[in-house]
Amino acid sequence: MSKVFFEVLQKEEFEQVVYGYDKFSGLKAIIAIHNTALGPAFGGTRMYPYASEDDAIYDVLRLSKAMTYKNAAGGINFGGGKAIIIGDAKKDKTEDLLRAYGRLIEGLGGRFIGGVDIGTDEDDMVIVHQETNNCTALPEAYGGGGSTSMATAHGVYNGIKAAADEVFGSPSLNGKTVSIQGVGHIGFALAQSLKNEGAKVIVCDVDPTNLKKAQDELNVEVVSPEEIYDQEVDIFAPCAMGAILNDNTIPRLKCKMIAGSANNQLKDEDKHSKMLVERNIVFAVDYILSVGGCINNSHQFIGYNRERAYAQVAGNITTNIRKVLRMSQEKNITTVEAARQLAEQRIQSAINRKSWFLNK
Ligand SMILES: NC(=O)c1ccc[n+]([C@@H]2O[C@H](COP(=O)([O-])OP(=O)(O)OC[C@H]3O[C@@H](n4cnc5c(N)ncnc54)[C@H](O)[C@@H]3O)[C@@H](O)[C@H]2O)c1
C-alpha cells in the first residue's frame, strides 16, 4: 500500500499528505499539499461523507493539484493544497471537530492555509481561526474577505467581459444571449450582472427554489436542465457541476463561447478541449475565470480592503483570460494548454528566483 501511494505522490509531484485523527471530536481529515513553489499551499476545506477512504484520498489529491494551477495562473503567491474532512456537514460538524481541524492546520507551521469549500462556510472558519491564523475566508468583521462566492462571481463576470472583447470585439454584453446552467450563489449573481448590462439570459436549475428566485427577481427565461445544451446563444456559462462538457453534450452546443465558474467542466481535458476547437467554440478556461474567491481571500493576509481586493480580482482575471486566449491563437494550442503553460511559467519563475538567490 505505502509503495503504491508513494508512486502516486511521485508521479503527480505532491509534496506532502497529512492524515489527522482526533478521538475526542471524531475528526478524520486529510490535507494534501501539492506544490509550495509560489508560497504556502492554499485551498478550501471540503466536508463530505465519502463512501470510502480511497474516494476521499482520490478527491483531495485531485483537488489540491488543481489548486496549484489555479493559484499560479491567478497571479497570487500561493501554492496548491486542499483539505477534506470525512463526515456529514449537517450532522457531524461540531465546534470540537472544527477546532481539532484548526490544530491540525496549525501543526503544519504555515505550509497550508485552509479556506471554505462544499460543507464548510465563513462561520466555520471563525471557529477554526481560534486555533490557527492559517485559515482564510473569514467574515469581513473578523478581518477576512467575506463571501467567497460573491468574489468568485465578480471575477467570472469580469472574465466573461474580457473574453467577449477578445472573441466578439467588444466587452459589452448588452444584446448578447447567455445561457446559465445553475443559478446558485454564482449563477444567480452572474445572471443579475448580465441582466443589468442588457443581456438576454436563459437559465436552468434542478433546485425549484433557486429557479423560482431567478425567475421572480431577474425576469430570466427558463428551460429544463436537459434543454440548456441546445440553446442558440452567444455564451454558455456552466455554473453547476463538473464534467458537463463531454461526448454527449458537445455535439449539441450552439454557442460561440463557454465561460462559467463550474470546476472541471471538461470531462476529458485533452479530448474535449479539442472537440470544442473543431466546432469553433472558444473555451474560456474554468479555473482562470473562477479564481476570484482565492484572490479575494489572499487579501486577508495584507489587511483586508474590499475595494482593493475586488479590483485585483477583476484586474488579474481580465489580464489572464486575455493572455490565455491570445496565447492559444498565437501558438495554435487549445486554451486549456495555454492556461497550463501560463501556470507552469509562473511556478518556474518562482523556482528560478529562489535558485538565483541561493547561487549568489
Ligand atoms: N463558490 C465559489 O466561490 C466557487 C469558486 C470556484 C468554483 N466554484 C464552482 O462554481 C460552481 C457553482 O458554485 P456555487 O457556489 O454557485 O454553488 P451552488 O451550490 O450555490 O449553486 C449550484 C447550483 O447548480 C444547481 N445544479 C446542480 N446540478 C445541476 C444540474 N445538473 N443542472 C442545473 N443546475 C444544477 C444547484 O441546484 C444550485 O442551484 C460549482 O461547480 C463550484 O464548484 C465555486
Side-chain angles (χ1 to χ4, degrees):
M1 166 65 186
S2 65
K3 180 171 172 285
V4 173
F5 190 54
F6 271 112
E7 275 173 16
V8 173
L9 300 191
Q10 197 175 354
K11 181 163 171 274
E12 305 282 345
E13 300 188 357
F14 284 91
E15 292 181 10
Q16 189 176 11
V17 178
V18 180
Y19 280 63
Y21 170 65
D22 177 55
K23 181 180 165 189
F24 180 60
S25 66
L27 175 78
K28 283 184 187 164
I30 310 173
I31 297 177
I33 297 177
H34 178 254
N35 184 292
T36 57
L38 279 160
F42 188 43
T45 308
R46 180 167 291 193
M47 183 162 184
Y48 189 78
Y50 290 96
S52 70
E53 209 176 300
D54 277 355
D55 287 355
I57 188 76
Y58 172 79
D59 213 26
V60 76
L61 291 180
R62 177 181 71 85
L63 293 166
S64 79
K65 184 173 179 188
M67 287 308 297
T68 295
Y69 282 80
K70 184 171 188 165
N71 290 335
I76 50 178
N77 291 319
F78 287 101
K82 196 86 183 184
I84 58 108
I85 298 175
I86 301 175
D88 184 335
K90 290 204 175 84
K91 289 197 311 226
D92 305 326
K93 200 162 59 178
T94 60
E95 179 181 354
D96 286 324
L97 179 132
L98 290 168
R99 291 187 71 146
Y101 171 59
R103 291 195 296 280
L104 178 66
I105 296 179
E106 183 64 9
L108 293 171
R111 282 181 49 73
F112 175 75
I113 295 171
V116 297
D117 195 79
I118 295 166
T120 57
D121 61 23
E122 284 81 8
D123 293 336
D124 297 331
M125 289 302 129
V126 173
I127 299 173
V128 173
H129 189 233
Q130 292 178 50
E131 303 286 347
T132 183
N133 284 327
N134 297 320
C135 67
T136 182
L138 290 167
E140 279 192 63
Y142 288 79
S147 167
T148 304
S149 312
M150 285 306 102
T152 304
H154 180 64
V156 172
Y157 173 61
N158 280 281
I160 291 178
K161 286 178 71 64
D165 196 19
E166 295 294 316
V167 175
F168 305 126
S170 164
S172 171
L173 299 168
N174 184 12
K176 292 275 182 284
T177 306
V178 185
S179 56
I180 304 180
Q181 182 179 48
V183 275
H185 292 100
I186 296 171
F188 183 89
L190 178 62
Q192 197 165 34
S193 303
L194 291 166
K195 284 294 283 188
N196 287 344
E197 202 181 327
K200 180 181 175 202
V201 179
I202 302 170
V203 309
C204 75
D205 203 297
V206 291
D207 179 332
T209 311
N210 285 356
L211 198 58
K212 186 168 181 326
K213 183 169 182 268
Q215 212 168 5
D216 291 351
E217 294 180 25
L218 303 177
N219 189 26
V220 290
E221 189 182 318
V222 169
V223 296
S224 73
E226 203 35 51
E227 287 168 335
I228 199 78
Y229 300 107
D230 304 315
Q231 302 304 307
E232 191 139 0
V233 294
D234 296 295
I235 302 166
F236 172 41
C239 295
M241 309 292 288
I244 57 106
L245 300 173
N246 53 48
D247 289 347
N248 298 328
T249 59
I250 293 174
R252 291 166 55 184
L253 297 176
K254 297 186 197 98
C255 59
K256 300 181 188 80
M257 192 205 300
I258 297 171
S261 72
N263 290 319
N264 307 316
Q265 291 164 26
L266 297 162
K267 186 163 187 202
D268 178 318
E269 276 205 341
D270 194 41
K271 176 181 178 190
H272 294 125
S273 59
K274 287 182 181 146
M275 270 177 81
L276 291 173
V277 171
E278 284 161 14
R279 286 163 175 76
N280 286 324
I281 298 174
V282 175
F283 181 59
V285 182
D286 38 19
Y287 66 85
I288 298 289
L289 292 189
S290 70
V291 71
C294 303
I295 298 173
N296 184 60
N297 288 342
S298 75
H299 279 248
Q300 182 184 315
F301 299 99
I302 49 170
Y304 189 73
N305 172 296
R306 177 183 278 263
E307 202 180 321
R308 184 185 59 203
Y310 271 50
Q312 198 193 5
V313 167
N316 282 21
I317 293 174
T318 298
T319 305
N320 292 334
I321 195 65
R322 285 188 193 280
K323 268 190 199 163
V324 165
L325 297 183
R326 287 179 195 177
M327 202 193 295
S328 141
Q329 287 274 313
E330 284 157 17
K331 294 188 171 181
N332 196 21
I333 54 177
T334 64
T335 53
V336 169
E337 180 54 27
R340 193 179 298 143
Q341 290 186 14
L342 180 73
E344 286 175 355
Q345 275 164 15
R346 254 199 107 233
I347 294 168
Q348 193 55 49
S349 299
I351 294 167
N352 293 349
R353 280 197 296 274
K354 283 178 193 159
S355 57
W356 178 86
F357 180 72
L358 294 174
N359 290 338
K360 255 182 88 177

